Amino acid sequence: MILDILFPNRCIECSSIIESDLIVCGNCMDQVHFTHQDYFADNFVKQKCRLLFPVENAFALMKFEKQDVSRKIIHELKYRSREIIGKNLAEWTINSLDFKNERPDLFVTVPLHPKKLSERGYNQLHLFTRVLSDFYNIPYDNELLRRNHYSKAQALKNKRNRLNTEHTFSVTKDVSEKHILLIDDVFTTGNTLATIAWEILRKGNNKLSILVMAMDE
């Protein structure tokens, strides 16, 4: 309580004081550019994925634009030790995503290298995925995938380096006959997701769908 008084939670866009479980104020919430995509439609994310790998369905919660509120939200989540933002993003996703009668069998997150996980202290996708798992009653596995190489943050890489993802990931367990929803924070080139997708699809007669917090168009 005292800390809330001395260090109140502030909107990441305008710095106005807001409730402790929020990340933006009501006015700035209107500036978050949600995609309003249909998970089952031939949306932009699905079109981009299909250029790289077979995909069943796809969904991006927000647009990832320069100087945009959504970019600030993702930055706070990944680099400013604000893991709780994952809970907010999950709640926003729940309000927009209906699996209807084609529910995935398993949620799987893109992993961090152990060194990066130690440096950051958390994987920005885990709380997000756990909240979704609890709401939809769909299991999640944060250990199915392993990142084999340590690398600097995607935001600090140039495009040529981002494209070099060969042998970066491996599947640690036998998995087959599953419809897997692969979860990541930002879709940029799509090469990270493609590398993982082919590893999963090679393991068995699996199907794959994609969920990202934001889409860089």
Side-chain angles (χ1 to χ4, degrees):
M1 181 68 70
I2 294 177
L3 289 178
D4 290 340
I5 295 174
L6 295 176
F7 305 101
N9 186 37
R10 293 183 179 275
C11 172
I12 66 172
E13 175 66 9
C14 70
S15 296
S16 61
I17 297 176
I18 55 177
E19 295 180 22
S20 60
D21 60 342
L22 301 180
I23 52 179
V24 293
C25 67
N27 290 333
C28 293
M29 185 72 176
D30 293 335
Q31 299 179 43
V32 179
H33 293 163
F34 294 104
T35 66
H36 304 291
Q37 289 178 342
D38 183 340
Y39 172 73
F40 297 100
D42 189 24
N43 58 54
F44 186 67
V45 184
K46 188 182 295 187
Q47 292 172 12
K48 295 281 282 187
C49 288
R50 283 180 172 166
L51 295 174
L52 301 169
F53 56 89
V55 66
E56 300 297 317
N57 303 296
F59 176 84
L61 177 64
M62 305 178 294
K63 298 178 182 179
F64 195 68
E65 300 170 334
K66 292 183 178 179
Q67 307 303 320
D68 187 63
V69 179
S70 62
R71 185 178 289 266
K72 292 181 181 179
I73 290 171
I74 298 296
H75 188 274
E76 291 282 319
L77 170 64
K78 294 179 67 173
Y79 306 119
R80 297 294 297 274
S81 300
R82 298 189 63 183
E83 184 181 14
I84 192 62
I85 288 177
K87 180 176 183 293
N88 294 90
L89 294 177
E91 291 169 348
W92 295 353
T93 300
I94 288 166
N95 289 332
S96 303
L97 179 57
D98 184 356
F99 292 120
K100 300 178 182 177
N101 294 322
E102 294 185 35
R103 292 160 53 85
D105 299 308
L106 183 67
F107 292 156
V108 173
T109 52
V110 174
L112 296 177
H113 187 273
K115 182 178 178 181
K116 178 64 67 62
L117 182 61
S118 177
E119 291 172 351
R120 186 172 296 170
Y122 61 94
N123 182 315
Q124 69 274 10
L125 301 173
H126 287 181
L127 179 57
F128 174 80
T129 305
R130 188 161 65 246
V131 174
L132 296 181
S133 174
D134 290 344
F135 178 82
Y136 293 111
N137 195 27
I138 295 174
Y140 69 97
D141 190 337
N142 293 331
E143 298 180 350
L144 179 67
L145 300 171
R146 179 176 63 238
R147 187 182 289 264
N148 299 318
H149 307 295
Y150 176 81
S151 62
K152 61 185 178 180
Q154 287 279 359
L156 301 178
K157 295 180 181 179
N158 59 37
K159 185 174 182 180
R160 179 179 295 178
N161 287 334
R162 286 200 303 267
L163 294 175
N164 185 18
T165 57
E166 187 177 6
H167 307 306
T168 300
F169 301 94
S170 57
V171 179
T172 65
K173 307 173 186 177
D174 291 333
V175 57
S176 61
E177 304 292 336
K178 298 291 185 182
H179 182 181
I180 293 173
L181 183 70
L182 179 60
I183 298 175
D184 201 3
D185 47 25
V186 181
F187 188 113
T188 50
T189 64
N191 286 279
T192 294
L193 292 175
T195 301
I196 294 172
W198 286 113
E199 291 294 329
I200 290 174
L201 293 172
R202 278 197 291 264
K203 280 292 180 179
N205 188 27
N206 297 306
K207 297 190 298 183
L208 195 71
S209 291
I210 298 297
L211 166 61
V212 293
M213 296 172 175
M215 177 75 184
D216 189 347
E217 298 182 352

